[in-house]
């Protein structure tokens, strides 16, 4: 095989030339279209309001109430309210089960990054068995192992916070008639 043969391009196909796809649609991939502006503003406002309410409660009780997993949960409840992981059963039970796992792992293995990773995996397994899938709750187990908050104050604050998140999702869906109904099921 000569060098000239290896470089030659195959002949162009017969028939009309197909236009090249524009770059932007190719970058978008198969992701869903963005929500209408009104829906996006409603969702963002609702998430921000509920998270600010958690910060306010934390200020009053002098305890951190807003933790990163709760922000992720609020985003899921308000952005994709029909998904199973956004339903109250998954949000509430997922966080509470994961908190229990986090405290158990911290008691047995201590507060180490590897123990936090193990707690997240165990929390996911427990949520799977309990049919309460909620991915942000895995991070609750991690937060507990790494920070070891006192269970008698953190537990009730976490329980109250997840209930507030769920009720805020329900209220936001009722406030906007065109919004998808939340929850799809309570338990």
């Amino acid at each position: 095989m000569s060098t000239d043969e290896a470089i030659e391009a195959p002949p162009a196909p017969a028939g009309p030339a197909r236009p090249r796809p524009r770059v932007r649609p190719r970058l978008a991939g198969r992701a869903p279209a963005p929500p209408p502006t009104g829906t996006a503003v409603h969702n963002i406002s609702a998430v921000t309001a509920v998270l600010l309410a958690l910060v306010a409660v934390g200020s009053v009780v002098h305890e951190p109430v807003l933790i990163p997993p709760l922000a992720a949960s609020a985003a899921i409840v308000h952005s994709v309210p029909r998904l199973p992981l956004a339903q109250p059963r998954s949000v509430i039970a997922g966080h509470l089960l994961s908190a229990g796992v986090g405290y158990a792992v911290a008691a047995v293995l201590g507060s180490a990054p590897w123990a936090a990773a193990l707690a997240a995996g165990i929390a996911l397994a427990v949520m799977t068995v309990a049919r309460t899938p909620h991915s942000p709750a895995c991070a609750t187990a991690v937060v507990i192992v790494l920070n070891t908050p006192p269970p008698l104050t953190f537990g009730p604050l976490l329980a109250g916070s997840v209930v507030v998140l769920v009720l805020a999702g329900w209220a936001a869906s009722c406030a906007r008639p065109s919004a998808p109904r939340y929850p799809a099921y309570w338990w």
Side-chain angles (χ1 to χ4, degrees):
M1 178 168 173
S2 72
T3 309
D4 293 339
E5 291 174 338
I7 300 176
E8 285 184 51
R18 291 178 55 194
R20 287 184 65 198
R22 292 182 22 208
V23 173
R24 188 171 177 177
R26 284 194 310 186
L27 290 177
R30 293 185 175 181
T37 304
T39 301
V41 168
H42 176 76
N43 291 347
I44 293 166
S45 300
V47 168
T48 303
V50 72
L51 295 178
L52 286 172
L54 293 179
V55 170
V57 169
S59 296
V60 169
V61 299
H62 304 293
E63 292 287 337
V65 176
L66 176 61
I67 58 173
L70 295 179
S73 294
I76 289 172
V77 165
H78 291 278
S79 297
V80 284
R82 304 300 289 169
L83 287 183
L85 63 112
Q87 302 312 308
R89 172 189 173 99
S90 293
V91 175
I92 296 169
H95 278 289
L96 296 179
L97 288 171
S98 293
V101 168
Y103 282 117
V105 169
V108 173
L109 302 175
S111 179
W114 65 270
L118 185 62
I122 294 170
L124 179 60
V126 168
M127 286 186 291
T128 300
V129 169
R131 298 179 316 132
T132 57
H134 190 67
S135 49
C138 290
T140 297
V142 171
V143 166
I144 288 171
V145 170
L146 294 179
N147 296 322
T148 58
L152 292 178
T153 54
F154 185 78
L157 287 173
L158 178 66
S161 297
V162 293
V163 168
V164 166
L165 288 179
V166 166
L167 292 176
W170 171 73
S173 79
C174 290
R176 186 173 170 95
S178 62
R181 287 295 135 233
Y182 178 80
Y185 52 90
W186 283 96
W187 198 255

